Amino acid sequence: MSPIANSAQQPLASTQDQIPLTSAEAAVLASATSTTTENAPRRQPASAASGAAELASTKISLLGALKHFPDFPIPGIDFIDILPLFQDPTIHGALLRALELQVLHFGAADGELATTKPDVIVGLDARGFLFGPSLALRLNASFVPVRKKGKMPGPCVTAAYEKEYGTDYFQMQEGAVKPGQKVLVVDDIIATGGSAAAAGSLVKKLGGELIGYLFILEIPFLKGREKLGGLPTVTLLETDH
Ligand SMILES: O=P(O)(O)OC[C@H]1O[C@H](OP(=O)(O)OP(=O)(O)O)[C@H](O)[C@@H]1O
Ligand SMILES: Nc1ncnc2[nH]cnc12
């Protein structure tokens, strides 16, 4: 069985050839250090080639852990379940490291660290809460949630949005993002982009400087990126259909 075979009816991008690495991604891992803590020993920089191999291998592990559920939550939707990524501590750790590296090089030229570090990671209800706080801690940034309407106390800003299988309302608490703070919006999946765009609009309503979006998985045919106003948008994995 292929290392990334899963219960999918329609496979995700499933071989190294189908997961092309950009030179920026290769550089990301080549310049990676093993930890973000000040006093811990730093790993020797790897070559770009071994960095690329490490990232490719991480992507294969992550893809292999995903599961598909046809016709959930409504007929016609091929639901991609990311929860298994958190069941195995090794895969969970690899996921967080890969996401951290993407942020450290967010929008930077090949091999360079990003000059703009986020002050705030905004995670979307509910699956953005599974890794947003851990990622924020690694980056020494705040974590702020976007929640579905009616879940948070106090004054909130609200945005309506449409997603792949329905309509909904998102909210953020007033004051959760301070004017001028640099904000990165993170979520598990970008499908139509409706959820992420609504979250971005709330960040801007609060006066935050939206620096971009980061997702674990993109469903490219739904063209969600087109709703994100041309801001830097990074995804770790993508489906091949
Ligand atoms: O790009 P879009 O078409 O907007 O879809 C993506 C959103 O849909 C899913 O969340 P969902 O609303 O199902 O909520 P959940 O995380 O609470 O399950 C997913 O976690 C994203 O937030
Ligand atoms: N196809 C899909 N699978 C999982 N989560 C989603 N959110 C929006 N579309 C989705």
Side-chain angles (χ1 to χ4, degrees), residues 211-223:
I211 62 170
Y213 296 88
L214 174 65
F215 303 93
I216 296 174
L217 179 74
E218 179 172 8
I219 306 176
F221 83 89
L222 291 172
K223 302 187 191 304

Side-chain angles (χ1 to χ4, degrees), residues 71-241:
D71 298 322
F72 180 88
I74 57 172
I77 299 294
D78 174 31
F79 189 87
I80 302 163
D81 187 15
I82 57 108
L83 296 178
L85 297 177
F86 301 91
Q87 287 168 4
D88 177 336
T90 304
I91 292 177
H92 186 175
L95 169 68
L96 278 169
R97 181 64 183 146
L99 290 170
E100 179 188 13
L101 291 169
Q102 299 291 347
V103 179
L104 292 176
H105 293 261
F106 200 82
D110 283 3
E112 290 176 2
L113 285 174
T115 50
T116 306
K117 175 192 161 304
D119 303 309
V120 183
I121 299 293
V122 162
L124 309 197
D125 193 347
R127 287 174 256 157
F129 298 173
L130 294 173
F131 62 96
S134 312
L135 183 60
L137 200 55
R138 281 170 171 249
L139 297 163
N140 196 29
S142 308
F143 176 78
V144 170
V146 165
R147 294 216 62 186
K148 306 267 168 74
K149 191 176 170 185
K151 301 285 186 185
M152 292 187 295
C156 291
V157 288
T158 305
Y161 65 97
E162 286 185 24
K163 56 186 180 181
E164 195 184 4
Y165 39 75
T167 57
D168 224 322
Y169 292 88
F170 266 161
Q171 291 188 318
M172 290 181 79
Q173 286 176 314
E174 286 182 12
V177 169
K178 312 280 179 297
Q181 281 190 312
K182 296 182 188 348
V183 179
L184 180 68
V185 170
V186 306
D187 202 6
D188 62 331
I189 289 179
I190 177 166
T192 64
S195 308
S201 77
L202 292 177
V203 167
K204 288 194 234 170
K205 266 190 199 173
L206 295 181
E209 183 191 334
L210 184 59
I211 62 170
Y213 296 88
L214 174 65
F215 303 93
I216 296 174
L217 179 74
E218 179 172 8
I219 306 176
F221 83 89
L222 291 172
K223 302 187 191 304
R225 280 172 184 263
E226 293 178 5
K227 291 209 179 84
L228 304 184
L231 282 174
T233 299
V234 173
T235 59
L236 210 50
L237 311 170
E238 61 180 47
T239 59
D240 62 357
H241 59 278

